[in-house]
Amino acid sequence: RVPDVADAWFDSGSMPVAQWHYPFENQELFAIAGQADFISEAIDQTRGWFYTLHAVSTLLFDRPAFKNVICLGHILDAKGEKMSKSRGNVVDPFMLVEQYGADATRWYMYASAPPYNARRFAPENVGEMLRQFMLTLWNTYSFFVTYANLDGWQPSASFDARQLDNPLDRWAVARLNALVRDVTAQLDDYDIYAPAKAIESFVDDLSNWYVRRSRRRFWKAESDADKQAAYQTLYTCLTTLARLLAPFTPFLAEAMYQNLTLIHQLPLPEGEGEPRSGEGEGMAESVHLAPWPEADTALIDEQLLADTALLLNTISLGRAARRSAAIKVRQPLGEMLVRVPPAAVDGLRRFEAELREELNLKQIGYLDGSAALVEYRLKPNLRLVGKKYGKLVPALTAALRDLLGDEARAAAQAAEAGQPWSLDVNGQMLELQPDELLVESSSPEGYAVAEGAGVLVALDTTLTPELEAEGLARELVRNIQDARKNAGFAISDRITVYLDGGDGALQNVLNTWGDYVRAETLADEIQTEAPTDGSHTETLELDGRAVTLGVARRG
């Protein structure tokens, strides 16, 4: 032992002084360093290092040793037990890096839970987050690069986002600048979880809304102003994302930055040509040397963001209603009724065409606040309330059963939102927690209903012969597109389609929807006969009947 060490922790608490060998030397450096901006360790250091650092600093300098602390929760195994070598439940980090990559492992630690929470960990959790976030981003990035290469597109130094006309572009730029604003503020506040979730949400919206809604703008042959705006908008989103992601996923961010800003593209998929090269001008040589993005608040259209968020929520509910009725989105429906807060009606009407297209609807109707399309029935969760309320349980059950209309809906919505609900039972006000309520709902005959976040949608599920025929046409398009892909055809290849089987219903669909099917699949002609030799063939089921589908490249 060293005889003059009174306590190892108090020795560690002297680190801010000892690292400079103060006061014996480096007095100027110590004065400059002062307090640490932040410190990060696990929760077991609360009464260890965190305390002794403050204790020593207070005794010597009458000030705390650091300004901020990021306190980390413990990593538990899949069963909720603390990892330790003695238990043999430790996960080898090198195995994680080998299997999923360093960036995926890092991102899981940031985005799976707030850092101060204990969390259960299993290797497959990293793989799931890799698929949900990083592959979504990479696919969006690859989509951009593929079409930019096909068109020989290069970014414009004179691009001005204030000149954008398309609402999709203006929304993407507004959403991006709001993201930069929020992520910057959250990181400045030493929050790592909130910005990670904000970036995840943005990437999901960018992929599943902006890119999906803009595909035809990238696909079209003419290189008009609208196509150039789509390219520039997506390029701006991706290059800004690379810089935002640099502290989180340094390798992914560097790959995107190098290819987009210095080379301007990702190498094309194997067998699809060679990448161009060309050094970017005025760019930092690494994303980690590039300046942090700055939000342009003039581009943040809060009303556009709020209206689009309402639209996306309504679309999500509409899809949920379709799933509950087991009706695919490719099957057109006649009408959907919507109830939103009165102040939000105009915002949703602004995007009514997009709403109809996304949910494959012929028309939208609007309900006022008094319309009740869902009936709610409430019961107590006896497993939880039995011991808590004892003899009051029968009266509580009766009081919940008697709730009707708006009262029942308000209680159900509170439970869905995770909020408590107060109820008078025999003159006693009880505050019921969300998990103490069991909610059942029913919809009117012929409707599929979904509700959430103040929005209710009701789909008319009646299928007329005309709607069924259009649904078959859309199903046929999907199968032909899949066959094109499976045959290895290029995106721009023109084809001949062969359909053998089915009955008069298939011919009726082609009589009405043939032009639509040909346009969507780049088919010059559709033959209702057996495929010729050399065609790629598949068997599909269409309207309950087996059909042989063949596709052949033209010319």
Side-chain angles (χ1 to χ4, degrees):
R1 288 179 61 88
V2 178
D4 56 351
V5 176
D7 179 273
W9 282 118
F10 277 96
D11 198 42
S12 298
S14 301
M15 180 275 293
V17 177
Q19 70 171 334
W20 302 110
H21 200 215
Y22 177 88
F24 306 105
E25 59 180 312
N26 296 320
Q27 295 187 13
E28 296 82 3
L29 282 174
F30 181 77
I32 293 171
Q35 293 168 288
D37 284 315
F38 79 97
I39 190 171
S40 178
E41 269 289 354
I43 193 170
D44 50 352
Q45 296 294 347
T46 302
R47 287 166 43 175
W49 199 29
F50 293 162
Y51 166 72
T52 53
L53 281 166
H54 279 328
V56 171
S57 182
T58 301
L59 285 169
L60 292 178
F61 308 109
D62 195 27
R63 72 184 185 196
F66 51 85
K67 300 174 184 177
N68 301 279
V69 60
I70 302 174
C71 190
L72 305 176
H74 286 140
I75 306 297
L76 312 176
D77 67 11
K79 297 178 181 178
E81 296 182 359
K82 184 179 177 181
M83 289 188 182
S84 68
K85 287 182 286 187
S86 61
R87 288 195 180 102
N89 60 352
V90 175
V91 175
D92 181 357
F94 292 101
M95 177 275 291
L96 289 173
V97 171
E98 180 68 25
Q99 185 171 358
Y100 300 112
D103 280 350
T105 305
R106 289 168 63 101
W107 187 260
Y108 174 81
M109 300 307 297
Y110 299 136
S112 59
Y116 41 80
N117 286 1
R119 74 189 77 187
R120 297 190 180 195
F121 181 88
E124 54 268 24
N125 296 343
V126 178
E128 182 64 22
M129 195 155 282
L130 169 67
R131 289 185 292 274
Q132 290 179 350
F133 169 66
M134 296 182 69
L135 290 184
T136 299
L137 173 59
W138 192 260
N139 288 338
T140 303
Y141 168 51
S142 298
F143 171 88
F144 167 82
V145 168
T146 297
Y147 285 95
N149 283 336
L150 286 173
D151 287 333
W153 183 84
Q154 290 286 318
S156 169
S158 62
F159 171 68
D160 183 358
R162 291 172 178 78
Q163 303 301 317
L164 292 171
D165 294 324
N166 191 299
L168 267 174
D169 296 336
R170 290 191 290 107
W171 169 82
V173 168
R175 185 86 163 78
L176 178 69
N177 280 275
L179 178 73
V180 172
R181 175 196 63 193
D182 296 343
V183 166
T184 302
Q186 290 156 351
L187 290 177
D188 284 345
D189 200 33
Y190 296 93
D191 186 351
I192 198 72
Y193 174 71
K197 301 310 288 184
I199 292 172
E200 276 188 347
S201 176
F202 177 82
V203 168
D204 184 66
D205 284 350
L206 186 69
S207 171
N208 294 314
W209 182 247
Y210 180 80
V211 171
R212 190 169 54 78
R213 292 290 305 178
S214 298
R215 276 201 187 107
R216 294 178 186 277
R217 303 168 67 195
F218 293 97
W219 288 346
K220 61 186 177 182
E222 61 273 20
S223 184
D224 56 12
D226 179 64
K227 186 174 187 177
Q228 291 298 314
Y231 270 127
Q232 194 69 56
T233 299
L234 186 51
Y235 175 81
T236 301
C237 289
L238 290 171
T239 52
T240 305
L241 270 174
R243 289 188 285 159
L244 288 177
L245 282 168
F248 299 89
T249 55
F251 302 106
L252 172 64
E254 183 73 348
M256 290 175 58
Y257 178 86
Q258 290 287 330
N259 289 333
L260 290 172
T261 65
L262 299 184
I263 304 174
H264 298 323
Q265 92 251 297
L266 174 75
L268 289 171
E270 186 177 352
E272 293 189 15
E274 295 297 325
R276 300 180 313 274
S277 63
E279 198 69 15
E281 296 181 3
M283 298 290 184
E285 63 186 81
S286 167
V287 71
H288 304 293
L289 299 175
W292 184 256
E294 293 185 11
D296 186 344
T297 55
L299 294 172
I300 303 176
D301 185 335
E302 297 289 0
Q303 188 62 54
L304 176 60
L305 292 175
D307 292 346
T308 305
L310 174 64
L311 169 66
L312 295 179
N313 180 45
T314 306
I315 291 170
S316 177
L317 290 171
R319 288 174 179 158
R322 277 184 172 272
R323 287 193 297 272
S324 70
I327 300 175
K328 297 177 181 179
V329 175
R330 284 186 294 275
Q331 173 58 61
L333 293 175
E335 183 180 40
M336 182 175 78
L337 303 176
V338 183
R339 183 178 67 214
V340 297
V345 172
D346 289 342
L348 192 59
R349 287 184 184 275
R350 176 182 186 180
F351 293 114
E352 192 172 294
E354 289 84 351
L355 182 59
R356 285 199 309 270
E357 186 175 342
E358 285 292 310
L359 293 177
N360 202 0
L361 304 166
K362 298 304 178 184
Q363 61 184 29
I364 306 289
Y366 294 86
L367 300 167
D368 61 30
S370 63
L373 281 172
V374 182
E375 291 184 3
Y376 294 98
R377 294 176 298 279
L378 294 103
K379 300 177 183 178
N381 186 340
L382 296 177
R383 182 177 61 84
L384 298 179
V385 304
K387 186 175 181 180
K388 184 176 180 180
Y389 294 115
K391 294 180 180 180
L392 270 178
V393 169
L396 171 60
T397 302
L400 288 173
R401 184 178 59 240
D402 292 341
L403 287 178
L404 300 172
D406 291 342
E407 284 188 318
R409 184 169 76 234
Q413 290 174 343
E416 178 191 352
Q419 300 171 348
W421 171 257
S422 297
L423 181 66
D424 187 336
V425 179
N426 289 352
Q428 183 175 345
M429 190 62 68
L430 305 182
E431 187 175 76
L432 300 170
Q433 299 304 311
D435 57 354
E436 294 173 346
L437 286 175
L438 299 177
V439 181
E440 298 176 354
S441 62
S442 60
S443 306
E445 186 70 26
Y447 284 89
V449 180
E451 186 174 11
V455 178
L456 178 143
V457 301
L459 287 170
D460 183 347
T461 57
T462 304
L463 294 178
T464 64
E466 292 77 15
L467 291 173
E468 289 180 333
E470 185 176 349
L472 283 175
R474 290 175 179 264
E475 190 71 25
L476 183 58
V477 166
R478 182 187 70 83
N479 280 280
I480 295 172
Q481 298 287 38
D482 287 347
R484 283 182 62 109
K485 182 178 180 180
N486 296 337
F489 293 166
I491 295 170
S492 57
D493 283 343
R494 309 293 302 187
I495 63 171
T496 297
V497 174
Y498 299 93
L499 296 169
D500 186 27
D503 60 6
L506 176 59
Q507 188 60 57
N508 289 336
V509 168
L510 294 175
N511 290 341
T512 305
W513 293 98
D515 290 342
Y516 162 77
V517 174
R518 283 188 287 272
E520 290 294 308
T521 61
L522 293 185
D524 287 340
E525 57 180 334
I526 300 175
Q527 302 289 345
T528 52
E529 58 187 46
T532 59
D533 292 340
S535 299
H536 172 83
T537 61
E538 298 181 2
T539 300
L540 59 98
E541 185 176 296
L542 201 64
D543 195 25
R545 295 173 177 81
V547 175
T548 299
L549 166 65
V551 291
R553 187 187 282 113
R554 300 277 292 184

